[in-house]
Amino acid sequence: MSYDLALDGHILNIVNSQEIHEQQDLQEKLLERGYDIPQATLSRRLRKLNIVKVSGLYKAIDLNLPSLPLVLNMQVSEFGIIVMHTHPGSANSLASYFDHQYVSFSLDQQNTSGILGTVAGDDTVILVIKSKRDMKPVLALIHGDFPYLK
């Protein structure tokens, strides 16, 4: 599920920030970010996201769809903190994604992700990691959602 959400976020980010004339162009951009998507799968994702070709360019016709902000940079502290940089105004969306995806707010549910919580500024998100031993699994989660950070 998080793979689809991350993929959809990347597709929307690319289509909204770059001129995409052909699906092959989009496939190449996704491959640069770590997603090797067959053309048939990409076509289905585009339909699901209401992305259509308008005047020779692919455009999202419903901009109220959820998308993941682009992570520009990630730094890892040896003290259990990960700092992620994004575009100005995007940090809250990024932090919200991590909170909803990996941090449990329910008393019934145990948080097994290793992420205790997030703090968001304007363009910076801090992830607080439970312990040093949780760092490697947390980085695996992040790289699963943002493979272009590898």
Side-chain angles (χ1 to χ4, degrees):
M1 178 77 168
S2 70
Y3 175 84
D4 287 345
L5 181 62
L7 173 61
D8 292 349
H10 289 290
I11 291 171
L12 285 165
N13 180 270
I14 292 167
V15 168
N16 289 330
S17 65
Q18 301 176 39
E19 289 188 0
I20 302 296
H21 296 276
E22 303 294 331
Q23 283 188 19
Q24 181 179 354
D25 299 336
L26 183 54
Q27 280 180 291
E28 290 170 6
K29 298 291 183 188
L30 288 167
L31 189 58
E32 290 172 10
R33 295 182 179 197
Y35 292 93
D36 189 9
I37 307 298
Q39 189 274 330
T41 302
L42 181 57
S43 289
R44 284 191 298 274
R45 302 306 305 167
L46 292 176
R47 269 193 306 278
K48 177 191 169 276
L49 295 170
N50 293 324
I51 295 175
V52 296
K53 203 168 193 177
V54 178
S55 301
L57 294 174
Y58 281 93
K59 297 286 180 189
I61 57 173
D62 181 3
L63 296 177
N64 293 322
L65 294 169
S67 65
L68 288 176
L70 183 64
V71 177
L72 303 174
N73 181 299
M74 180 174 74
Q75 299 171 358
V76 180
S77 162
E78 62 185 67
F79 302 105
I81 295 174
I82 297 173
V83 178
M84 303 176 97
H85 300 279
T86 187
H87 291 290
S90 297
N92 277 328
S93 300
L94 187 59
S96 178
Y97 170 76
F98 281 107
D99 288 340
H100 286 59
Q101 193 71 16
Y102 300 114
V103 181
S104 172
F105 293 109
S106 168
L107 295 175
D108 307 346
Q109 225 176 347
Q110 184 177 355
N111 176 353
T112 59
S113 70
I115 301 173
L116 291 177
T118 61
V119 179
D122 183 49
D123 61 357
T124 304
V125 174
I126 295 173
L127 280 72
V128 180
I129 310 306
K130 187 175 182 178
S131 70
K132 287 183 183 182
R133 73 175 187 280
D134 290 313
M135 186 62 78
K136 192 171 185 175
V138 168
L139 288 172
L141 291 173
I142 292 170
H143 287 130
D145 291 339
F146 303 92
Y148 60 90
L149 291 174
K150 290 184 178 180

